[in-house]
Amino acid sequence: MAFVNERIPEEEKEKFTFEVFTHPDGEKPTLYKWTVDRQKNAFLVLTKVIGGGASGTQETEYFTLIWNQHLIKFSADAITGGSRETGYFLTWNVHQVEIPQEIQDMREDIQTLIRDALDAKGLFYRRNFLTEVNVVF
């Protein structure tokens, strides 16, 4: 099985042990979808977005990748380009990867998981209109 985008079941949200962005009214806008590969026991959750839009700065997305009960945190900037005629592409520039000490020796496997998850996530949890997705560390 490969990574797929789907709604996060309410019962799964209650199991999260990491912080996510919360509005003053208690709403958690990033917790509606995730990118999941159940066969690999890997779940990518968007936890916060900073910048972009009205701020006029590059938007940075913050993620937690849950893999075999380990929490791997990282951030990434999405750069888009292309056109309807040539096809649209997306490049994820990944930075600030925090890998738990006990799985540091699995860095290559973790980078592959991050690459596969971000490729499947696409842009706004849609991959079908993109002809290419690149992930750069």
Side-chain angles (χ1 to χ4, degrees):
M1 179 180 194
F3 278 98
V4 295
N5 298 313
E6 61 183 37
R7 289 193 176 274
I8 303 173
E10 288 301 318
E11 63 274 10
E12 292 298 323
K13 293 178 189 180
E14 296 169 8
K15 297 176 188 176
F16 293 162
T17 59
F18 50 87
E19 290 185 34
V20 297
F21 173 77
T22 306
H23 284 296
D25 65 0
E27 179 192 14
K28 297 179 179 181
T30 62
L31 288 187
Y32 72 102
K33 283 195 170 186
W34 63 5
T35 304
V36 56
D37 185 331
R38 286 187 175 75
Q39 186 174 2
K40 292 180 182 171
N41 197 26
F43 308 84
L44 181 69
V45 179
L46 177 64
T47 59
K48 177 173 56 174
V49 178
I50 294 179
S55 72
T57 60
Q58 172 64 46
E59 183 177 274
T60 299
E61 297 184 28
Y62 293 80
F63 297 93
T64 296
L65 175 67
I66 305 134
W67 181 45
N68 293 326
Q69 306 303 318
H70 296 287
L71 302 181
I72 300 148
K73 297 180 180 186
F74 67 94
S75 56
D77 303 329
I79 310 297
T80 58
S83 67
R84 184 176 292 177
E85 293 77 31
T86 62
Y88 294 100
F89 67 87
L90 170 64
T91 299
W92 286 103
N93 291 316
V94 177
H95 40 89
Q96 298 178 337
V97 180
E98 298 175 21
I99 301 172
Q101 187 63 37
E102 61 271 19
I103 59 171
Q104 281 286 328
D105 60 335
M106 303 180 85
R107 181 170 291 275
E108 285 186 34
D109 294 331
I110 292 165
Q111 285 183 338
T112 298
L113 280 172
I114 290 171
R115 190 173 278 116
D116 292 348
L118 288 175
D119 186 334
K121 179 186 179 296
L123 190 63
F124 307 118
Y125 295 97
R126 291 184 54 222
R127 178 61 170 87
N128 59 334
F129 68 95
L130 297 168
T131 57
E132 183 180 351
V133 174
N134 298 298
V135 179
V136 179
F137 289 87

